[in-house]
Amino acid sequence: MSVSMPQKRYYRQRAHSNPMADHTFEYPVCPEDMDWSQLYPEFFSDHQSTQKAAQVEFADIGCGYGGLLVELSPLFPKQLILGLEIRVKVSDYVQDRVRSLRAAETGSYQNIACLRSNAMKYLPNFFSKGQGLVYTNTDVEEVHLWMVKHFSEHLLFTRVPDAELVDDVIISRLGTCTEEGKKVQRNGGKNYLAVFRRVEDQN
Amino acid sequence: MPKDVWICIKLIQEPFVFDCSAAEQKPKDPEADNKSDGSEETGSDKILAFSVSSSAKLVALTDDTKRLVLFRCEPSWQVISTRWVVRRCTSLVFTEAEDEVWAADKSGDVYSFSVVEPQKTGELKLGHLSMLLSMTLTPNDKYVVTADRDEKIRVSHLRSPHNIQAFCLGHLEFVSSLLAPPGHPQWLLSGSGDGTMKLWEYESGRRLQSWDLKQLRDMPKSDTEKETRSAVSRIAGSPGGHHVAVQCERVPSVQLFGMEQGTEERLMPSSRLTLPHCPLDLTFDPQGRLWVLLDSRETPFLVYTHTQDSWQCDSESPEMKRVTEALQPHWEALQVSAGLESRFQHLYKGNFDNMASYREKKQQRLQQQKEQGGKKRGPGKGQQSNGASKKAKKGNQPGPVTKASS
């Protein structure tokens, strides 16, 4: 059964959505209750039950139309990647897109999925505490400086110097594979990147 | 403008009465007079929260005018300072060390105010993305526990509050009360708009036990379940750590719990006290007696003592009589009946299904495209209305569900 690719023009929605408003979202009571098999059926099929349950290792907060998810999927085929998007139409687009891609190429794109949610409020419902890296990217310098300031001042994060990011496969794609990224390129804008690592509390 | 009065009764002293409407007014900001945006907001002098320190030597209260007033009680009652909070608060708590008083506000922020430097402005300590409804500290001031309208209980290190130790996740509605019960240093009790009380090992976020207070009242499940939702409005613990008392709003009874004897420490429902009226508040005194405050000018207090496995009401208690006599002259001014309005009913979230109307439109579009066959549609005809529909449709299953659907 072929699933045709969704057309973006039917899923347009303005960029800003108020995350403080009481939209209605579905979210698990706690991370242990989350049924990831709905989003990544291939990874949770029966023959895998004896193996360690797969976990989402990448989260794209505000994934938009899913450009980054699609780009990263073949690069990390054994790892689960989740896109979180608050907008109704846009999250639906990504879900349709993933369905269509999975149908077109058997076995591919099984490791990406999109959830409609408010990451600010409900991230702790989906994910337990973990270590890791935060990649930030923007074409607006003030936003970049704001993010750098807050992450640098936060005692649980430290900035990863550019020298350490030379071989990073994600960095090279952050500014190019998303809708916003392509728009910036067309307009000759600049991308501001900053990466931060979660560290232990010093106290 | 009705006055709101607050009474504190210490059993070895004369009663002390403090009237917020007569308290210090906020000094006018000369710049603010030039603003014509009319954003000057005036609150009432209604008291929103108060706290008594562990030694009972200090008291703090906060009101609708955004005052934070600090008192000493010994050697006599005296206002130490009047400070101002940025937003209306819902919860106040002193540190065990009595060096700070912490305030949680309606926007989700927590500030600490110095007691040692009583004029010092508050410092922002941590924030939630939702209105805070309750706050408590754990023994030795190790953690600060904050609970919000988004069903979340967050456990953070007091001295480095940016460091979240754990979340206690399990409630299905706003979390309205918290208690770190005396005698059980690892435990946290929480009460919610979902009508349950839960027991947690807060350091790990692990849920140990849960009780549906409605079921304990032997209420049969009815179709009008939504109308009879009753949030847990107070959880109190006896000083010895043997008893817990729970109050649900607009319910004329108190549910008691006791410690089960056994290899593992467990809390068990023990008895339920039927009251002549709905209680406004309850607490245990240092002798372990349970005091219940009622909306009744004649008998505002009921005092219960635990003797031989049951709770007996002591109607002759001299302390109760003293306290009643001190309270009665102020009964009208207190506007006690106002306290009977539900404090929590408006906190239940509305059910707006953002997806339903979008899905309907999408179905229509796909149906139309199917009917058109392979005919190409020009971009003009393909326009969809912009943005998610603002007109809400009542849906089902908003908020947390036990299994998420994609």
Side-chain angles (χ1 to χ4, degrees), chain A residues 24 26 89 92 96 125 201, chain B residues 152 163 352 362 385 405:
Chain A
T24 300
E26 285 184 6
K89 284 178 164 179
D92 193 47
D96 284 350
N125 293 80
D201 193 10
Chain B
K152 284 189 178 44
N163 190 351
F352 298 130
K362 184 183 178 187
S385 60
S405 57

Side-chain angles (χ1 to χ4, degrees), chain B residues 128-148:
Chain B
H128 283 227
L129 270 314
S130 165
M131 182 194 289
L132 286 172
L133 299 173
S134 190
M135 178 169 62
T136 192
L137 304 185
T138 64
N140 302 314
D141 297 333
K142 187 167 183 198
Y143 297 108
V144 51
V145 185
T146 39
D148 70 16

Side-chain angles (χ1 to χ4, degrees), chain B residues 4 6-7 16 52 54 82 90 135 163 170 178 192 204 246 254 298 304 312 314 319 323 336 347 374 378 383 386 405:
Chain B
D4 289 285
W6 178 68
I7 293 178
F16 173 70
V52 180
S54 46
T82 302
T90 56
M135 178 169 62
N163 190 351
L178 292 175
S192 160
S204 61
V246 184
V254 175
E298 294 70 43
Y304 294 84
Q312 301 297 327
D314 180 2
E319 288 102 337
V323 161
V336 176
L347 294 176
Q383 289 304 327
N386 210 14
S405 57

